[in-house]
Amino acid sequence: MFITRFAPSPTGPLHLGHAYSAILAHDMARAAGGRFLLRMEDTDLERSRPDYDALIQTDLAWLGLAWDGPILRQSEHLASYNTRLEALEDTGLLYPCSCTRSDIRAALAAPQEGVAFSVYPGTCRPRGMGTRQPGDALRLNLAAALQMLAAEDLSFTETGPAHSGRHSVDPEQALERIGDVVLSRKGEDIVAYSLASAFDDADQGVSHVIRGEDLFDFTPVQVILQHLFGLPTPIYHHHRLIRDDQGKRLAKRDDARAIAKYRAEGATPSDIRRMVGLPNP
Ligand code: GLU
């Protein structure tokens, strides 16, 4: 069964880039006779807003994209993600980290093209779990995790246009480019995007993850997490990004290209499909 999802963060209005991602995922699911799910990735409790959640639903409905089943909101599952993360606490793979809140906040969010992903230098790595203080984040000791998974086949299938094929996670590259990712922040029940989304993709039976190219380089983290938690690895399809006239990827602040704005100006859903280069059904 082909099951895919559109997983926006309700921290701003949907723009043309989101429309492309959602329409593509929806159309691929419908063409395969599968399911198209909607998941609100609202783990950033400070920036997520109910009015954006509602606007996303309005925009998708207007685009003619009906999702199957109830909406999954990650904010309603934070305790369960943390309980599952606790299973790793005695393995020696996690350590508490007290580096600054803003560093950690950036590390929890989904990485984006053009925003340098900083590899953590490992300052707190020698700390044991027993030294954990309120407000500390938990980081994954990536070298230890890779060592533990040395006998496993850490690979994934990609069907997107730019990287189509089978990809193996290269441990050296992972250490160099990804490093010790933050998995949670204590006290606030906040877990990293990479972890919540690995759990949810498995729980929702997602067979195909369809999302923007900017997340391709981050996929190895999710594959590693899937192996650590015994979760299946879906097929990935990273699609091209919709860019502005200067060639920059559209971001949440690009309200000028918000779907709601085009709608208010009288554009039709077919116009949106044309603008992002997708065929009308
Ligand atoms: N919430 C993520 C974002 O908006 C989606 C990532 C994904 O589809 O895995 O960038």
Side-chain angles (χ1 to χ4, degrees), residues 21-222:
S21 198
I23 297 171
L24 187 68
H26 168 272
D27 288 3
M28 284 173 72
R30 294 291 171 254
R35 286 166 66 78
F36 171 69
L37 310 178
L38 176 57
R39 181 162 86 218
M40 296 294 176
E41 301 211 314
D42 55 353
T43 51
D44 186 338
L45 303 177
E46 283 163 42
R47 288 172 56 228
S48 298
R49 288 186 9 200
D51 50 331
Y52 287 134
D53 181 313
L55 183 59
I56 288 171
Q57 296 179 58
T58 305
D59 287 345
L60 293 178
W62 176 75
L63 286 168
L65 310 180
W67 56 91
D68 298 305
I71 299 172
L72 188 152
R73 288 191 179 78
Q74 293 188 325
S75 57
E76 293 167 9
H77 300 269
L78 298 175
S80 110
Y81 302 138
N82 273 286
T83 307
R84 293 164 81 169
L85 178 58
E86 278 167 21
L88 278 196
E89 285 187 9
D90 296 328
T91 58
L93 296 182
L94 303 180
Y95 62 87
C97 171
S98 53
C99 296
T100 68
R101 280 177 72 91
S102 58
D103 287 352
I104 288 168
R105 185 183 174 139
L108 285 163
Q112 294 190 346
E113 188 194 49
V115 179
F117 181 81
S118 59
V119 174
Y120 182 64
T123 322
C124 291
R125 197 179 295 137
R127 289 178 56 189
M129 285 300 286
T131 68
R132 192 176 182 192
Q133 298 294 322
D136 277 353
L138 285 186
R139 283 189 186 269
L140 178 69
N141 182 331
L142 188 66
L146 288 165
Q147 207 167 9
M148 180 185 243
L149 299 173
E152 300 201 19
D153 172 21
L154 299 180
S155 59
F156 65 98
T157 297
E158 166 69 30
T159 61
H163 307 276
S164 177
R166 187 88 189 152
H167 296 266
S168 290
V169 174
D170 176 335
E172 260 165 53
Q173 246 180 35
L175 287 168
E176 230 167 73
R177 295 192 191 164
I178 300 165
D180 291 355
V181 285
V182 173
L183 295 184
S184 82
R185 191 164 78 193
K186 203 187 178 184
E188 290 149 85
D189 266 0
I190 306 291
V191 300
Y193 143 77
S194 52
L195 186 63
S197 117
F199 286 145
D200 287 341
D201 285 337
D203 293 350
Q204 295 190 289
V206 169
S207 63
H208 290 72
V209 169
I210 299 163
R211 62 185 184 185
E213 263 287 309
D214 47 340
L215 289 169
F216 177 77
D217 288 341
F218 197 67
T219 306
V221 178
Q222 287 177 317

